[in-house]
Amino acid sequence: MPVGYENVSARGLSLVSSGPQLRLKPGRERSLLRRHPWVFSGAVEAVVGSPDTGATVQLRADDGRFLGWAAYSPASQIRARVWSFGENELPGPELFQSRIETALARRRAEIPAEITDAMRLVHGESDQLPGLIADRYGDSLVVQLLSAGTEKWRDALVGILRDRSGCARVYERSDTDARELEGLAASSGLISGAAPDEPLRITEHGITYQVDVASGQKTGFYLDQRDNRRRVGQVAAGRDVLDCFSYTGGFALSALAAGARSVLSIDASAQALALAKRNLALNPALAGRADWLEADVFEALRKLRREGREFDLIVLDPPKFAPTAKDAARAARGYKDINLSALRLLRPGGLLATFSCSGGVSIELFQKIVAGAAADAGTALLLRERYRSAGDHPVRVEFPEGEYLKGLLLERA
Ligand code: SAH
């Protein structure tokens, strides 16, 4: 008798009942019934059959109830990622195409073409395509296949994405820690189409940026901060701005576009700063004084204080300090350190735009950390605005992990 035969429905010998399965421990189906798409290794009672890495498995509760179709990942703590919760929604090119079309339609509705020609088209779990990231930069697409399941379906996913987006070429940037956790080797390079003759450029909120998709950070640009760059830029008029962790100049250029008096940008990456300077040159209309400092922000903030420097707007947009909640304590020390140092450089009436993209640090915790820094600095802060990621990074209510970016605009009273 085939494995799972006892569960065959009235419809007869459907695919649903054959093939490999993950049986969950009693009670561990609860998050899946809420449609959270991850199964952790500790929730698995038994693996029935011998699925390969990335293979499609059925998820079944302890009582045999069908829970979903998932990609199996034996190397990862996230042992399976759900492709679909419908018994009749089998993963495969047809399902992927429909998910990708839904994702593209959402972006078309959400982001008018005049705002940008660069956007995240697919945001993994939040678009019901676990482990799949696809960013469009003009007519180039950059994909990340970050899970065993996406690796298994690589050709189908890349083909559909290229067709549906109409992009001329596809780069891969699957060179992240996430992929290592899945037991997959890093993989990057041009995987479809011909390399462009010119460096790749995008225009976001009227500002032109060159994007290095082949060797820049992430897929080349921090798309999630698009609207925050604009909002923070808008309060920069007439101010002396300090842009910490500036990467290729996103906040700095947005501040100059809005009439900042001066901007000092700090980043540890010489490559990022070189591109930031290039980006300034690409936008001749931007006025104001721009200075660049290649340094560690933690040290540079202390040095600026020793030099008696002061600013009217400080941006802190550090990399992820805490990927998960277990790193939160260490991350909290890092956030407190830079926020405290920044507050000591802020003139009365000055603004601090402070961000965290750590999934392991909630907005409540982040606000507490900043309040602690304000107390230590002896400054009173008023909360002016809260920030989150742009609309091409949707958040599903059942997947709070998708809401990793948070920010506060604070005024020194
Ligand atoms: N604000 C940017 C994105 C910042 S990403 C934008 O809008 O595009 C984080 C940046 O922090 C990266 O460019 C990275 O090079 C830099 N970085 C990481 N650790 C750093 C450190 N200790 N000191 C200075 N820069 C650092």
Side-chain angles (χ1 to χ4, degrees):
M1 195 159 78
V3 173
Y5 195 76
E6 72 277 17
N7 295 314
V8 169
S9 69
R11 283 178 292 108
L13 270 172
S14 68
L15 262 174
V16 171
S17 298
S18 59
Q21 295 183 6
L22 297 194
R23 287 257 179 184
L24 303 194
K25 291 179 182 162
R28 299 304 291 266
E29 72 283 5
R30 275 197 288 269
S31 61
L32 289 145
L33 295 174
R34 265 199 321 270
R35 302 203 157 203
H36 189 281
W38 292 348
V39 176
F40 286 96
S41 58
V44 177
E45 178 74 51
V47 181
V48 183
S50 35
D52 294 333
T53 297
T56 298
V57 293
Q58 288 174 50
L59 301 176
R60 291 201 174 256
D62 179 58
D63 63 2
R65 170 178 183 179
F66 176 88
L67 297 169
W69 294 105
Y72 182 56
S73 185
S76 173
Q77 283 304 306
I78 304 175
R79 194 53 49 92
R81 291 173 196 249
V82 178
W83 286 123
S84 77
F85 292 96
E87 217 164 331
N88 299 321
E89 267 188 326
L90 269 164
E94 208 180 319
L95 180 71
F96 301 147
Q97 177 152 330
S98 119
R99 295 270 162 87
I100 287 169
E101 279 171 0
T102 303
L104 295 183
R106 184 173 295 129
R107 276 41 176 206
R108 279 194 294 274
E110 185 78 25
I111 301 170
E114 61 271 20
I115 284 183
T116 185
D117 56 357
M119 69 189 73
R120 177 149 297 187
L121 298 181
V122 176
H123 188 46
E125 276 76 350
S126 302
D127 283 300
Q128 294 184 288
L129 290 162
L132 180 66
I133 302 294
D135 290 343
R136 158 183 232 137
Y137 296 102
D139 65 351
S140 297
L141 193 68
V142 185
V143 299
Q144 293 183 316
L145 305 166
L146 303 178
S147 60
T150 52
E151 179 62 37
K152 178 91 175 172
W153 293 99
R154 147 187 298 274
D155 293 345
L157 291 167
V158 171
I160 297 165
L161 280 167
R162 185 178 169 178
D163 281 2
R164 295 289 136 184
S165 69
C167 283
R169 65 192 65 80
V170 184
Y171 293 88
E172 182 175 9
R173 287 299 306 276
S174 305
D175 47 346
T176 76
D177 300 350
R179 206 164 138 107
E180 269 171 49
L181 295 176
E182 291 278 306
L184 302 168
S187 170
S188 56
L190 184 64
I191 53 171
S192 174
D197 302 329
E198 302 278 313
L200 212 153
R201 286 185 191 163
I202 61 158
T203 301
E204 175 195 276
H205 288 303
I207 301 173
T208 300
Y209 299 89
Q210 191 167 309
V211 179
D212 181 357
V213 292
S215 61
Q217 298 181 25
K218 303 266 188 135
T219 65
F221 204 64
Y222 289 86
L223 295 166
D224 51 359
Q225 288 280 32
R226 175 187 314 113
D227 297 337
N228 303 332
R229 282 189 278 267
R230 180 168 175 81
R231 283 296 300 157
V232 172
Q234 281 168 343
V235 296
R239 294 184 188 255
D240 291 319
V241 179
L242 176 62
D243 179 16
C244 299
F245 308 96
S246 63
Y247 190 49
T248 57
F251 281 97
L253 269 56
S254 303
L256 291 171
R261 184 163 48 199
S262 71
V263 182
L264 171 60
S265 302
I266 309 177
D267 201 280
S269 160
Q271 192 189 349
L273 286 176
L275 205 45
K277 288 179 204 172
R278 171 107 198 93
N279 288 338
L280 181 61
L282 287 176
N283 295 274
L286 301 190
R289 183 172 159 197
D291 293 299
W292 314 93
L293 181 59
E294 183 190 333
D296 175 77
V297 165
F298 290 80
E299 290 167 15
L301 291 174
R302 290 185 169 80
K303 186 156 178 280
L304 289 168
R305 166 134 163 120
R306 287 196 298 276
E307 291 168 358
R309 297 284 299 272
E310 287 189 315
F311 301 87
D312 313 294
L313 170 60
I314 300 178
V315 180
L316 294 175
D317 185 22
K320 191 159 51 185
F321 291 163
T324 64
K326 68 179 186 314
D327 315 298
R330 189 175 42 82
R333 286 193 292 277
Y335 288 121
K336 174 131 184 229
D337 188 330
I338 52 174
N339 280 280
L340 175 57
S341 295
L343 287 172
R344 290 184 165 142
L345 300 173
L346 197 62
R347 292 190 182 118
L351 297 169
L352 172 66
T354 183
F355 294 91
S356 161
C357 59
S358 295
V361 174
S362 66
I363 179 67
E364 293 78 15
L365 175 58
F366 188 54
Q367 190 170 322
K368 273 186 197 156
I369 295 167
V370 174
D376 285 10
T379 54
L381 292 179
L382 298 177
L383 180 54
R384 291 261 304 252
E385 290 185 17
R386 279 182 193 276
Y387 301 118
R388 51 191 300 230
S389 48
D392 50 344
H393 296 61
V395 178
R396 300 184 83 81
V397 71
E398 71 273 17
F399 187 68
E401 292 85 346
E403 191 168 26
Y404 57 95
L405 179 66
K406 69 261 338 160
L408 306 168
L409 181 70
L410 303 151
E411 181 184 324
R412 184 174 164 186

